[in-house]
Each structure stands twice: as C-alpha cells, then as structure tokens.
Amino acid sequence: MDDIAPALSLRDVVAALESLYPLESAADWDRVGLVTGDLDQPVRRILFALDPTLAVIDEAREWGADLLVTHHPLLLRGIHSVATSSAKGASVTALVRAGVAHWVGHTNADVADPGVSTVLADALGLVDQRPLSTEGGYAIGRVGALTSPVTLAEFADHIAAALPATAGGTRVSGDPDGLVSTVAVMGGSGDDRFDDVRASGADVYVTADLRHHPVLEAREEARGGTPYLVDAGHWATESLWLASVRDRLLTALEQVPGATRVESRVSAIRTEPWTFVVGANAARADRAAPLTGGVP
C-alpha cells in the first residue's frame, strides 16, 4: 500500500502566510493573524474572502474548509461575549464548532508588495509604479502611469470595466473632459491621503469611502483642476487581492516538504453592504440649476 502524504498543518499554512504578510508590518491599531484554530489541525481546504461575515462562514462550513483567510478582521474592536445573541459571537461560535480556523491579513497585506494597492494598480494597467508614500519603511498606496492619456470620463469607464461590479457603482469628482495620465491608488479607505496625492503629482486618485467634507475641501484646493477623485467602492478596490493571496500562498506551500496539496477557492459572496442605489446622476451638472458655490 502506497504511503499517503501527510496533510499540511495549520502551523505550516500560518507560517507561509506570515512570511508573505508579516504581522509586524501591520498598523498598531490593527488585529491581524490567527483568530481561531489549533496550530496542529490539518488543513486540506482554504477559503479566501474579503470579510468574515456570517454568510461567508456558512460557505466555509458547507464547503468543508479547514481555514478561512480574510482581509478584514473579525474582532477589530473589543468584545466581551461570544454568545450567539450577537453577530460577532455567532461568528466565533460557528467557526469553533465547525473546526474552521480563521486568519486575517489586513494592513499587513495593504503594505505588502504585491499587496492590495499593487493589485489594484495592476488591474488598472498602471506602469512605472512607485509607492504613494512610505511609513515606517513600508509602502502606502501606489502611483503609476497610464500607457496614454485619456479623459476622466474614459478613465472612469475603464475603472468600472476593470473592477468587480457593485451596487454603488463608481463616483467621480472632476471635469469629465479633463485629461489624466498619472494615477494614484489606495485600495479601501483613502481620504486621509490627499496631501500625499497632491505631492505625487497625480492627475486622479482612485480609492474608496470618500466622505463629503474631506472631498469638498480637496476639490476646493484643486480649484476644479487636478487631482480629480474617484470613489470606486471599498469592496471593489480590495477584493481583487484575494486571487493574489491565494496564488502566492499556494506557491509558498509547495515548498513545504512532503505535504499534500490543498484545495482552495475565492468566495463568490459579494460582501459589499449596499444592495441598490436610487437617483444616481439625478443632479448631474448638465441638468442642475446654475451653481451658487461648491465644487463645479
């Protein structure tokens, strides 16, 4: 009878993940790494998802996953109970009962190379890439060039085609006919990086979770010119990273001596919280009353 190769242990997989996305590179406030699981348990199936929602955890259990890898933390803020009367408690309980380990790569994946913003920049076809800024020796965001200038409207269409479809779509602030060539990107929330974007010389900044006041102030500073701003959605700008982490992890696990290969898949569940939009473009400039102030 042929010998059966041993399964990978969770210890093996965690070591590989943390060689790719070191925990020490995460922000001080972040909660990354192993959340649930026994380091000696076998891992034969790995599910990748952006968020550890109840639906994603159900998918992991039903598929028979031994490990769930997510970008966003399950326990970012402190909790005092894991009773199933709360969503967080129900999530932890479901993972533990099913024997599904959970590992998080968040800001340590943001600053990796390739990381979340690198994958976003690649998806948009940017060349000659460089960091948008650096902190503590780690790269934050990316800046790159389009192969040829296009109008802001054309670039917005390009973004919509390159990123996963969402309920919220893509919001744009700027002259539709303005030309853009240099692009800054930050996967996920990025309205705290406007100074870096201006310093980079970018014509347009692609990120997510842009709030009214920071955007209004940034556009006032630009006097209607560059950098233009694009909010492409948190889920859309980050979810492309899942295929990257899967491929990088599987390559790393091939170096583990004697262990069997694992099955893996990226969750098809869209964890974007929005379900529909009403009235989009109802107040477009070409349909609106004459401006009395604010952003043209």
Side-chain angles (χ1 to χ4, degrees):
M1 181 176 177
D2 294 336
D3 291 336
I4 299 175
L8 286 161
S9 70
L10 180 59
R11 190 184 309 275
D12 295 326
V13 182
V14 167
L17 282 165
E18 294 178 3
S19 71
L20 300 171
Y21 309 102
L23 302 189
E24 59 269 22
S25 66
D28 291 342
W29 51 263
D30 206 1
R31 298 293 179 265
V32 297
L34 191 63
V35 179
T36 65
D38 178 342
L39 287 171
D40 293 322
Q41 73 185 69
V43 174
R44 297 180 178 87
R45 286 185 171 182
I46 305 173
L47 179 68
F48 298 84
L50 197 68
D51 299 282
T53 62
L54 288 166
V56 167
I57 292 170
D58 283 345
E59 178 186 6
R61 293 166 59 198
E62 292 168 5
W63 183 52
D66 304 296
L67 173 62
L68 171 63
V69 173
T70 68
H71 180 51
H72 292 141
L74 175 61
L75 302 176
L76 183 59
R77 296 173 180 85
I79 61 172
H80 305 287
S81 169
V82 291
T84 57
S85 53
S86 72
K88 293 294 185 185
S91 297
V92 172
T93 300
L95 288 166
V96 172
R97 280 182 172 173
V100 179
H102 178 214
W103 187 91
V104 174
H106 191 210
T107 52
N108 51 325
D110 289 338
V111 301
D113 187 13
V116 172
S117 292
T118 317
V119 174
L120 175 59
D122 289 344
L124 298 181
L126 303 187
V127 298
D128 299 327
Q129 293 181 26
R130 65 184 190 274
L132 173 61
S133 65
T134 58
E135 287 184 5
Y138 298 110
I140 307 293
R142 302 293 286 176
V143 179
L146 298 170
T147 54
S148 60
V150 296
T151 68
L152 180 60
E154 291 170 332
F155 182 57
D157 286 339
H158 173 63
I159 294 169
L163 300 188
T166 66
T170 300
R171 299 187 299 169
V172 184
S173 181
D175 178 4
D177 297 321
L179 290 179
V180 299
S181 177
T182 302
V183 181
V185 303
M186 172 76 75
S189 302
D191 66 11
D192 60 341
R193 294 289 168 181
F194 290 149
D195 288 344
D196 294 330
V197 172
R198 283 188 285 267
S200 75
D203 302 310
V204 59
Y205 178 39
V206 182
T207 186
D209 296 346
L210 294 181
R211 297 168 294 168
H212 175 90
H213 294 295
V215 169
L216 186 60
E217 291 172 5
R219 296 302 297 136
E220 290 280 275
E221 289 296 331
R223 304 297 198 274
T226 61
Y228 303 128
L229 303 176
V230 178
D231 186 330
H234 199 119
W235 181 81
T237 57
E238 291 189 330
S239 59
L240 295 174
W241 172 76
L242 299 173
S244 173
V245 60
R246 179 190 62 185
D247 292 346
R248 295 187 74 203
L249 176 60
L250 294 181
T251 298
L253 292 178
E254 289 176 355
Q255 308 308 311
V256 178
T260 59
R261 296 177 65 87
V262 297
E263 293 183 66
S264 67
R265 76 183 192 191
V266 172
S267 173
I269 296 174
R270 178 171 58 84
T271 54
E272 176 194 30
W274 309 112
T275 52
F276 64 94
V277 173
V278 176
N281 286 330
R284 267 176 34 187
D286 58 358
R287 301 177 185 171
L291 295 170
T292 57
V295 179

